[in-house]
Amino acid sequence: MKQTIRLLSVLLCLVLALTVLIACRESEDPIDPDQGQTQGDPSASDTVDIVKDGTSVFRIVRGDLYYPGDTVVDAAVTLRESLITATGTALDITTDYTEVSADIPEILVGDTNREIYQELPDDLAENEFVVYYNGHDLLLAGNTQLSARKAVEYFLETYLGYNAEDGSFAKTSCAIPKDLNYRGSFELPPKVYVIEGVKYVSSGNNEDYNDTVRLYTCMQGRLNKTAEENGFYVYQKYDSEDQFWLNYIMGEGKMLEGAEVVKISTWRDLWEVFGEHIKAAGIVLWDPSVPATSNVASTICSVEGYLPVRYDTDKNSLYTWLTNNGVEVKMDLCGMFTGKLGTKIADTDIDSSGSIKCDPYLWALEKYGDRVNPAMVAYTLDGASQVEGNIIYDRASVSTTPDANQIYSHDYYIYNECFFVDLTCKADEAPCDDPNQPMGSDAKTLGTILGYFQQRNNGKFGKLMGFPPWYMKYTKHNGWGESGEVQLEWAFVAFITGYDFIKEADAWNPSWMTNASVYCQYEMTTEKFENNDAPLDEVFDKRTRYFTVYIGDYDSSAWLKLMVPSCFESNQRGKMPMMWAFNPNLSDRVPMIFDYVYENKTENDYFVTGDSGAGYVFPSRLADLDKWIDYNEPYLEKFDMDIVGFIIDDTRLSLKAMEAYAEIAPLGAFTNTGDYLTVLNDETIFMRLHGSIQPVHNTDDTREGMYNTLINSGTNFAAYRTIRQYTPDLVGFVNDFISYAEAKNDGYEYKYVDMYTLFDLILQSGQGNYIYSE
C-alpha cells in the first residue's frame, strides 16, 4: 500500500506539471436539455461548498479498476492532493465499489457505476468533457480518460484558481454554483497506439509471427506518413529501449508531449483499431516459393499502400483470416516468375535474367522504379528465412523471428517509399539462396538497380539502408558462401560507393530497428548543438605515453538507439573523457538521440563522427571528393564536430582524399590504413586507430596487445577502437590498463587523454610523417 501511495504521489507531481490551461467553449447543447448551461461564478450567492473552513462533506470516487499509468486514477489523486494543497482539507478517495450513500455527496471522476454518469450527452465528442452538479453529486467526466482529466484540470483552474505557471492556487476554499452544468472542449493531443506482444492471429508458429508483424509494421509506415492528419501515431514496443525513447519524445516541450497512449496487446485489439485501415489498404500476396517477392510486395506497399501478406491457404493463416474478414486481395504475385532464360519477365518486354530470384526485382524496377524514392534503398532480407522448408530457414543458426528477418525496420522504409532488395554484390560466386542462377546475376541486378537510382537522384548521394546479412546469407558462416563476414562487408561498401550510395549499417545485432517512422518526424529542440572544447593545457612530455579510446561504431541507427540509454544513464559517465563516435547523418532517422546526448553531455563527453564521416563509404571509391565535402560539411557544422572518428577504406588514403578530409574535419581523423601517424600541412592529423578492444573482456592478453601497440609505434601516442561497449566497462578498463603498463617499469608514464588533447600533443611533439599539399 505504501508503495502504491508513493507511486501515486509521483504521478501527481507529473500531472500537476502539465499545463492545465485548456481552451474551453460553451456548447449549445447542455448536459440536461431542460436546464440552461451555466459555466458558474464561484462568487455567486447560490453556491454549494465543496470545502469551507477546512471541512468538506464530499468524497472523491473513481472507477474500481486500476493499472499503472491510468490517467483517470491520476486525475482523481491530483484532485484530492490539489484540494489539500489549496485548502488544507483532505477528502476521502475511494472507488465505485463503495456503496452509494444518500448522506455523502460524491465528486465522481471519469467512468463510474454511478447513475449520474449515464447523463452524459449522447453526442459528447471525444474532445469534450462535462462538469455537472445534479444537486447531490459532482461529475467530472467525458467519454475518454483524457477528457476526464481535462474536466479535472478545468475544475482546478476555475474553482481553485490553479496557476500552471507556478503551481499555485488562488483560493483557500472551494464552492460551485448549484446549477453548474458546463460542457467544455479542448484540443486533442495526438494518440500513440502502442503495439506490444501481438504475434499471432491464431496458429502460433514462426511463419505466422513473421506474417503478422510484417503486416502491421508496413501498415505502421503508411499510417505514420499521415500521422498529423490522422491525429495518431503507431508505435511498437518490442526491444528494451522502445519505452525509453517514447518517454523521451513525450517529455516536456517534445514532439508528443501530452499524447494519449493506447495499448494494443492482442490481435483482436489491433483489428478493432486498425481493421478499417487494413480493409481500405487491401493486401498484396507474395509467393513463398519465390522469396524475393516478399521484398517486391513491400516495394508495392511503398507505392500503392497494399499491405504484404504471404500466400498460405492454411485455415489458421493470416491470409485466410484476412480474406475471411473482408480484406481484398488487390495484387497477387504468386506464380508470376519462372526465371527461365529465353523468356520474358511477366508483363514486360524484359528478357529473363535466368534467375527466379532476380527477375522479380527487375520487374519491380520496371513497374515502380520511377515512383519510389531514388535517394533511399532498403537493403533487407527477403522471405527465404521466413518460409519453413527453404534452405535459408532450415540452416539458420539464429532465430527466424521478425527481428532476425529485419522486418521491424520496414516501417521506416515504407514511410520513405523505398525500393526493397536482397542481392549479393559478389559476382564471382553463386549466392546460397539461388545457386543455379547464371554466375553474377545477383551482382548485375543489384548494379542495375543502384545505377538506375543514381541517375534518378541527379548526382546526389543516396542512402542504402542495411548491411550484408552475413548471419543469414552470403558468407562462410554456416557454409553459406566463400567470403568472410568482413570481406563481404568491405566488398559491399566498395560496390555501393561506386553508385554514390552511403551505407547506414544496421549490422547484426540488432540488424533491425523499430519505430523510425515516428522518430524521423521528431523536430530537434536544441537551438544550437555545442560540442565540448578541451582545455588543451597539457605540455608534451617525452617520458609519457598518451592514448585515447574511440567509442563506436555508431554508423547504425539501430545500434545507436539500443546503446545510448545504457551508456548515458550510467553514473560512470563523466569520470573520464569519452570520444563518442556518432555518424551525424543518423540524425535523419533518429534525431531525438542527438537532442538527448547533447542535452545530457558532461564536460567530459566529446562527439566525433563514426565511419567514414557523415556516412559510411570508401573514400577511394568516390568519383567526386568535392561532392563528398559538400555532403559532410552541413552535418558536421550542425553538430559542432571537427574530427572524423574513423575513415574506413580498402586502400591507402591518397593525398587528395586527405586534403578533402582536411576540409571536412580540419583537426584530423583516425584511419584504418596508411602510415601510423601523418600530419598534413602542419595542422591536420591522420592517425591509425587500433583495435578493436573489448573492455568487457579485460584480460592480460588485451592489455599486453595495447601495450605493444604503444611501445612499437615509434611515437608516444596511440588510439584504440571499441565497438558497442558500456560506460562502466570503459572507465574501469582504462584505469586497469594504466596500472598494467606502468607496472612494466619501462621508464614511461601512461596517460589517458581526450582526442583534442591527443592531437594537440602530437603537434607539440613534432612526431609523425609530415606531408604537404601539392
Side-chain angles (χ1 to χ4, degrees):
M1 177 61 71
K2 290 181 179 178
Q3 291 179 340
T4 301
I5 291 172
R6 285 197 294 270
L7 172 62
L8 293 176
S9 297
V10 171
L11 293 173
L12 162 69
C13 295
L14 293 174
V15 172
L16 285 178
L18 296 173
T19 301
V20 297
L21 183 60
I22 53 176
C24 297
R25 62 171 173 80
E26 293 188 0
S27 168
E28 296 179 358
D29 301 316
I31 189 167
D32 182 349
D34 298 324
Q35 182 184 57
Q37 175 154 326
T38 305
Q39 177 168 338
D41 179 358
S43 65
S45 60
D46 195 14
T47 59
V48 174
D49 292 320
I50 303 296
V51 175
K52 184 177 181 180
D53 298 330
T55 62
S56 177
V57 296
F58 282 80
R59 67 183 177 190
I60 299 169
V61 178
R62 64 167 177 87
D64 186 55
L65 297 178
Y66 170 75
Y67 59 87
D70 189 318
T71 58
V72 171
V73 174
D74 295 344
V77 173
T78 297
L79 174 62
R80 181 178 188 271
E81 296 298 329
S82 297
L83 287 165
I84 294 172
T85 301
T87 71
T89 306
L91 278 66
D92 290 339
I93 185 168
T94 185
T95 75
D96 61 1
Y97 184 78
T98 305
E99 291 184 3
V100 176
S101 170
D103 298 328
I104 305 177
E106 297 177 335
I107 304 175
L108 301 156
V109 181
D111 185 358
T112 66
N113 62 10
R114 304 308 199 232
E115 290 184 5
I116 189 174
Y117 185 77
Q118 304 306 316
E119 297 183 48
L120 285 176
D122 292 338
D123 62 345
L124 194 68
E126 187 178 6
N127 69 327
E128 291 184 309
F129 63 86
V130 297
V131 178
Y132 168 52
Y133 181 64
N134 70 353
H136 187 269
D137 299 320
L138 175 64
L139 177 65
L140 309 177
N143 287 326
T144 66
Q145 289 195 6
L146 178 61
S147 58
R149 194 182 84 195
K150 292 297 183 181
V152 170
E153 291 174 354
Y154 170 80
F155 178 84
L156 295 178
E157 182 192 39
T158 305
Y159 299 109
L160 278 177
Y162 178 70
N163 185 334
E165 294 287 330
D166 59 12
S168 66
F169 294 89
K171 301 178 183 181
T172 58
S173 62
C174 181
I176 61 171
K178 287 185 177 178
D179 59 351
L180 176 58
N181 187 1
Y182 182 71
R183 178 172 176 171
S185 67
F186 57 93
E187 183 178 347
L188 279 172
K191 283 184 180 178
V192 181
Y193 289 106
V194 178
I195 303 172
E196 180 179 8
V198 181
K199 296 182 178 181
Y200 313 111
V201 173
S202 54
S203 64
N205 58 40
N206 267 0
E207 292 171 280
D208 189 43
Y209 185 10
N210 281 282
D211 292 341
T212 304
V213 174
R214 182 187 293 273
L215 177 86
Y216 63 68
T217 302
C218 291
M219 178 194 72
Q220 178 186 20
R222 292 293 301 187
L223 290 178
N224 283 341
K225 283 182 69 69
T226 54
E228 190 170 332
E229 176 185 338
N230 297 338
F232 66 82
Y233 292 82
V234 184
Y235 196 85
Q236 293 193 50
K237 186 178 177 184
Y238 175 74
D239 68 43
S240 60
E241 304 306 334
D242 283 326
Q243 189 63 54
F244 178 93
W245 291 115
L246 180 59
N247 291 345
Y248 179 74
I249 64 178
M250 289 179 64
E252 184 176 357
K254 303 300 184 183
M255 168 186 173
L256 294 178
E257 179 183 5
E260 180 187 5
V261 173
V262 180
K263 297 180 181 180
I264 295 176
S265 55
T266 67
W267 172 258
R268 178 175 294 180
D269 293 341
L270 188 140
W271 183 254
E272 182 177 343
V273 174
F274 297 117
E276 292 306 314
H277 294 284
I278 295 171
K279 287 180 180 180
I283 59 176
V284 49
L285 298 182
W286 61 272
D287 187 346
S289 65
V290 186
T293 57
S294 67
N295 271 342
V296 171
S298 291
T299 297
I300 292 169
C301 185
S302 286
V303 177
E304 306 287 3
Y306 311 153
L307 301 175
V309 173
R310 179 175 57 94
Y311 178 69
D312 180 3
T313 58
D314 185 272
K315 65 179 182 179
N316 293 317
S317 72
L318 177 64
Y319 162 74
T320 299
W321 195 97
L322 292 173
T323 52
N324 285 344
N325 283 273
V327 180
E328 180 184 356
V329 176
K330 293 190 174 179
M331 187 173 293
D332 186 352
L333 302 177
C334 296
M336 284 183 60
F337 305 102
T338 64
K340 291 182 179 179
L341 284 171
T343 65
K344 299 291 184 182
I345 297 175
D347 194 28
T348 73
D349 290 327
I350 304 171
D351 291 333
S352 171
S353 65
S355 164
I356 198 169
K357 178 185 177 186
C358 295
D359 279 3
Y361 292 121
L362 294 172
W363 177 87
L365 188 66
E366 169 78 7
K367 298 296 182 182
Y368 298 103
D370 62 346
R371 297 175 63 189
V372 294
N373 181 0
M376 186 180 293
V377 170
Y379 186 76
T380 187
L381 281 164
D382 65 20
S385 51
Q386 300 152 50
V387 178
E388 189 173 0
N390 186 285
I391 185 174
I392 303 301
Y393 180 100
D394 292 344
R395 292 171 61 186
S397 61
V398 297
S399 170
T400 54
T401 50
D403 48 5
N405 289 320
Q406 304 170 342
I407 293 174
Y408 289 109
S409 299
H410 282 40
D411 73 305
Y412 183 66
Y413 305 155
I414 296 291
Y415 178 92
N416 282 283
E417 301 178 358
C418 285
F419 188 95
F420 287 67
V421 65
D422 170 11
L423 297 163
T424 183
C425 65
K426 298 286 288 183
D428 57 351
E429 62 179 279
C432 52
D433 54 346
D434 191 20
N436 298 318
Q437 69 175 219
M439 184 64 72
S441 295
D442 260 34
K444 181 180 179 181
T445 303
L446 182 60
T448 297
I449 292 166
L450 297 184
Y452 178 85
F453 293 127
Q454 181 185 34
Q455 283 191 324
R456 270 201 64 207
N457 206 26
N458 299 319
K460 299 176 183 178
F461 284 106
K463 281 188 179 181
L464 188 137
M465 310 297 297
F467 195 90
W470 61 264
Y471 61 94
M472 199 75 80
K473 292 182 179 183
Y474 309 139
T475 68
K476 292 178 181 178
H477 185 78
N478 267 23
W480 279 317
E482 299 173 8
S483 301
E485 290 90 334
V486 175
Q487 181 185 358
L488 179 63
E489 173 192 344
W490 284 26
F492 187 75
V493 177
F495 188 93
I496 69 170
T497 301
Y499 292 98
D500 289 333
F501 274 90
I502 300 163
K503 181 172 69 169
E504 184 168 331
D506 286 356
W508 180 261
N509 175 27
S511 58
W512 46 268
M513 194 182 84
T514 47
N515 300 314
S517 62
V518 177
Y519 302 146
C520 69
Q521 299 183 64
Y522 173 90
E523 293 185 9
M524 288 180 279
T525 59
T526 303
E527 291 185 10
K528 183 179 181 181
F529 293 91
E530 295 183 358
N531 214 340
N532 283 320
D533 293 321
L536 301 182
D537 53 5
E538 288 280 339
V539 177
F540 174 70
D541 177 1
K542 66 181 181 181
R543 303 308 300 172
T544 300
R545 289 178 172 140
Y546 304 92
F547 70 100
T548 198
V549 174
Y550 161 102
I551 305 173
D553 279 347
Y554 297 109
D555 53 357
S556 159
S557 293
W559 287 21
L560 196 62
K561 176 200 168 190
L562 177 69
M563 293 297 295
V564 160
S566 298
C567 289
F568 269 69
E569 295 291 300
S570 169
N571 60 13
Q572 297 294 301
R573 187 172 57 87
K575 292 190 174 182
M576 72 177 199
M578 292 192 168
M579 175 172 52
W580 301 101
F582 298 159
N583 270 25
N585 69 338
L586 303 184
S587 61
D588 296 339
R589 190 176 176 194
V590 285
M592 78 289 180
I593 295 181
F594 288 81
D595 256 2
Y596 171 79
V597 297
Y598 276 80
E599 287 171 1
N600 290 281
K601 72 180 188 298
T602 70
E603 62 182 8
N604 268 330
D605 292 313
Y606 301 90
F607 301 105
V608 301
T609 80
D611 316 342
S612 290
Y616 186 6
V617 298
F618 280 173
S620 64
R621 306 285 179 151
L622 292 169
D624 188 343
L625 285 167
D626 288 336
K627 187 167 72 171
W628 183 236
I629 295 171
D630 292 341
Y631 180 82
N632 276 263
E633 284 183 335
Y635 284 110
L636 273 72
E637 180 180 355
K638 180 171 185 175
F639 296 108
D640 196 22
M641 296 178 178
D642 43 25
I643 291 175
V644 169
F646 195 26
I647 302 174
I648 301 183
D649 212 330
D650 59 354
T651 188
R652 186 188 185 95
L653 283 180
S654 67
L655 178 60
K656 287 186 177 180
M658 285 192 281
E659 289 171 345
Y661 273 97
E663 293 286 330
I664 294 168
L667 292 185
F670 297 94
T671 70
N672 73 318
T673 62
D675 294 331
Y676 181 78
L677 184 58
T678 299
V679 181
L680 175 66
N681 296 331
D682 296 319
E683 59 183 6
T684 303
I685 293 166
F686 293 86
M687 184 179 187
R688 288 284 294 275
L689 188 61
H690 288 274
S692 63
I693 59 172
Q694 297 184 30
V696 69
H697 302 301
N698 191 355
T699 65
D700 283 349
D701 286 344
T702 301
R703 291 189 286 267
E704 186 69 13
M706 291 175 65
Y707 178 77
N708 290 334
T709 294
L710 247 176
I711 66 174
N712 295 323
S713 69
T715 74
N716 287 61
F717 308 100
Y720 303 98
R721 174 187 175 215
T722 65
I723 301 176
R724 240 177 56 170
Q725 298 297 314
Y726 290 100
T727 305
D729 299 327
L730 287 164
V731 174
F733 179 75
V734 165
N735 292 329
D736 285 348
F737 173 68
I738 291 173
S739 298
Y740 178 87
E742 292 187 343
K744 299 282 188 180
N745 295 316
D746 59 6
Y748 283 86
E749 292 185 6
Y750 290 80
K751 189 165 188 177
Y752 177 85
V753 295
D754 64 85
M755 71 283 190
Y756 289 108
T757 298
L758 186 78
F759 280 6
D760 183 61
L761 289 168
I762 289 171
L763 294 178
Q764 291 183 42
S765 73
Q767 296 177 6
N769 177 34
Y770 277 66
I771 62 174
Y772 300 89
S773 298
E774 296 175 350

